[in-house]
Amino acid sequence: MNIKFLRAALLVALSATALGASAQKNYIEGFATYTIQTPGGAVDTKSYFKGDSSLTSMQQGPADIKIITAKNGDYLAVLVDVPVASIKKAAIATPAEIEEGKAQEPKFSFTPGTETKVISGFNCKKVTVKDAKSGSSYEAWVTNDIKIPATSFSHTFKEIGGVPVQFTALQQGQAVNVTLKSVTDQKVPAGFFGIPGDFEKITLTDLKSLGGGGN
């Protein structure tokens, strides 16, 4: 066998292997698991996604909280279920509340760096994030190993150049440190992003008056 031909064939095979190993996985349906650092300690949450809909589920004390977003941010509902108090409230944002929420969002700009590291098994690159409104700067680590739809945590990072893995999210004006732990392929059941019939529908303003909160 021609030695030059053999070497060329090996190079092609090795290149194909490398390309296969680094190919980006595109998740269109499933859930992402995050760890959030809070004053009370680390809290794990799950963000389910399908199309432009997402549902983030978390536990805060006795309350089971679900945040549903859809229609590219033009729909927001916060479900609060407190079994010990027999409370089931679904706060659905009005168009005015949606616009107010968007107006309060940070105005981020992103500057890619050269540093890299592996976080949660993802190859990440460092990006400096600056909020033009507050002047604050944050450090974020972004991966191109995967692609997933925006969740309630990551929707303000759409222009960052990848999927944020370790970053600072602003929730109601408060900086929250978030780490993406894993992403799982899974079919989301029909009606998953809907509101159960036994929840009382109120507005976000009503929920805030009860001591709750939204995005």
Side-chain angles (χ1 to χ4, degrees):
M1 178 180 288
N2 186 296
I3 297 299
K4 289 184 178 180
F5 176 81
L6 178 59
R7 286 177 178 170
L10 284 171
L11 284 173
V12 171
L14 289 171
S15 297
T17 302
L19 287 170
S22 61
Q24 184 186 63
K25 180 166 177 58
N26 185 14
Y27 293 86
I28 59 174
E29 187 174 1
F31 66 88
T33 301
Y34 294 93
T35 295
I36 306 170
Q37 296 297 329
T38 70
V43 177
D44 286 337
T45 71
K46 287 184 177 180
S47 284
Y48 296 82
F49 53 83
K50 181 180 180 181
D52 68 350
S53 298
S54 75
L55 183 153
T56 299
S57 177
M58 66 186 73
Q59 194 75 28
Q60 291 187 358
D64 178 24
I65 298 174
K66 292 182 172 68
I67 301 170
I68 302 172
T69 60
K71 300 178 182 178
N72 295 315
D74 288 332
Y75 176 86
L76 169 66
V78 181
L79 279 60
V80 180
D81 185 2
V82 190
V84 295
S86 298
I87 292 175
K88 286 191 173 185
K89 305 284 188 182
I92 303 171
T94 64
E97 289 171 332
I98 290 285
E99 289 306 312
E100 181 183 357
K102 289 181 177 180
Q104 293 175 352
E105 287 183 348
K107 188 175 182 180
F108 285 149
S109 61
F110 308 106
T111 305
T114 57
E115 293 181 57
T116 62
K117 67 178 177 179
V118 177
I119 303 173
S120 303
F122 301 112
N123 296 300
C124 301
K125 60 184 178 181
K126 185 178 178 180
V127 177
T128 299
V129 182
K130 186 169 183 179
D131 179 12
K133 289 184 177 180
S134 66
S136 300
S137 292
Y138 307 94
E139 179 183 287
W141 292 87
V142 177
T143 187
N144 293 116
D145 290 352
I146 59 172
K147 183 178 180 181
I148 63 174
T151 66
S152 61
F153 290 118
S154 64
H155 72 280
T156 54
F157 295 85
K158 290 180 180 178
E159 306 301 323
I160 200 170
V163 175
V165 174
Q166 197 168 76
F167 56 102
T168 300
L170 297 181
Q171 301 285 312
Q172 293 185 294
Q174 298 296 315
V176 180
N177 294 322
V178 182
T179 300
L180 174 64
K181 303 302 291 184
S182 63
V183 181
T184 303
D185 261 327
Q186 179 176 294
K187 289 290 184 182
V188 178
F192 189 79
F193 301 106
I195 297 174
D198 58 345
F199 276 70
E200 178 189 356
K201 294 180 180 180
I202 59 176
T203 67
L204 279 182
T205 303
D206 294 333
L207 181 62
K208 290 174 182 177
S209 70
L210 295 174
N215 249 17

